[in-house]
Amino acid sequence: MGAEQPAAPGRGLVIFLCAFYGGIWLWSAWQPGDRLAWLLENILPTALAVALLIGWRRRPLSATSCILLFLFIALHQIGAHYIYSEVPWGRSIGAAFGRQRNDFDRLVHFSFGLLLFLPLREMLQAWLNPSQIKAGIGAIVLILAASALYEIMEMLVVLVVYPETGTAFLGLQGDIWDTQTDMALAFLGGVLAFCGAGLASAVRDRPQAG
């Protein structure tokens, strides 16, 4: 049995999220590390923000899903502003795991699975009306597919638009397994979100004693 369609978030939340994203976007656009890279990195998140705004009434997501989506594109704007391999506090993330690498991009790929799992599950439930478990599995499959598609698009951008500084745009930082690691982290984030959502549902639906 499919879940009920979530109520659309209130106008106040939508206005706040748009203002929040607008502020992050303006900051990101102000003297970025590489203007062309910033433009290329902004195509997908800006399209997502516009799609969310258009679909606010027609295919509403829950307020939680909208917040998660905007948190993800805010992280992406930080990476676009600095260039992922140059985000100032990204090396602190790597150092926490005993690495010299700037791991901000790892954080964003992990967040892709973690933060987008719930919105994708809700979309599948709204469109196809599967059970929560089937919708969750479908969301993880979409996360993996989107991760692979993103890596392919990055490769094409480098080959067509950015051949002279391709490795800088890709942010490989000397890691030959960068693409596979990014996809694995997105998958891990999705699996953790799947488990967390399942645990939350079990706790919520547990009969109260007394």
Side-chain angles (χ1 to χ4, degrees):
M1 182 177 179
E4 294 180 2
Q5 189 176 17
R11 183 180 297 273
L13 177 61
V14 173
I15 292 174
F16 170 78
L17 290 175
C18 289
F20 171 73
Y21 180 69
I24 292 289
W25 188 91
L26 289 172
W27 166 82
S28 179
W30 179 257
Q31 297 182 342
D34 185 308
R35 176 62 65 182
L36 179 56
W38 180 87
L39 288 170
L40 294 171
E41 294 281 13
N42 262 273
I43 295 173
L44 290 179
T46 301
L48 176 59
V50 171
L52 284 172
L53 191 59
I54 293 173
W56 170 39
R57 292 293 188 184
R58 299 182 60 187
R59 290 281 185 178
L61 295 173
S62 67
T64 301
S65 286
C66 290
I67 292 170
L68 292 175
L69 283 165
F70 274 84
L71 283 176
F72 175 73
I73 57 180
L75 279 174
H76 190 80
Q77 286 295 348
I78 294 172
H81 175 77
Y82 288 108
I83 301 177
Y84 276 89
S85 58
E86 301 297 331
V87 174
W89 42 274
R91 295 200 178 278
S92 299
I93 302 173
F97 295 94
R99 293 151 51 86
Q100 297 299 317
R101 188 183 186 279
N102 188 315
D103 273 352
F104 181 79
D105 63 328
R106 302 288 198 231
L107 171 65
V108 175
H109 282 281
F110 175 75
S111 298
F112 178 76
L114 186 70
L115 300 180
L116 268 67
F117 169 81
L118 184 61
L120 288 172
R121 191 185 72 173
E122 287 184 5
M123 290 177 189
L124 289 173
Q125 288 175 318
W127 295 337
L128 303 176
N129 198 36
S131 67
Q132 277 201 350
I133 293 179
K134 290 181 179 178
I137 294 172
I140 292 176
V141 171
L142 287 176
I143 287 167
L144 273 173
S147 296
L149 180 61
Y150 180 79
E151 299 295 342
I152 292 170
M153 290 176 64
E154 272 196 330
M155 177 193 70
L156 293 175
V157 167
V158 168
L159 292 175
V160 176
V161 181
Y162 232 112
E164 69 283 357
T165 55
T167 55
F169 178 74
L170 291 175
L172 300 180
Q173 299 184 64
D175 184 359
I176 62 172
W177 301 110
D178 180 75
T179 298
Q180 292 83 355
T181 303
D182 290 345
M183 293 172 61
L185 284 171
F187 175 69
L188 176 61
V191 169
L192 290 178
F194 178 88
C195 295
L199 180 61
S201 295
V203 171
R204 185 182 63 244
D205 298 338
R206 185 177 59 187
Q208 297 295 320

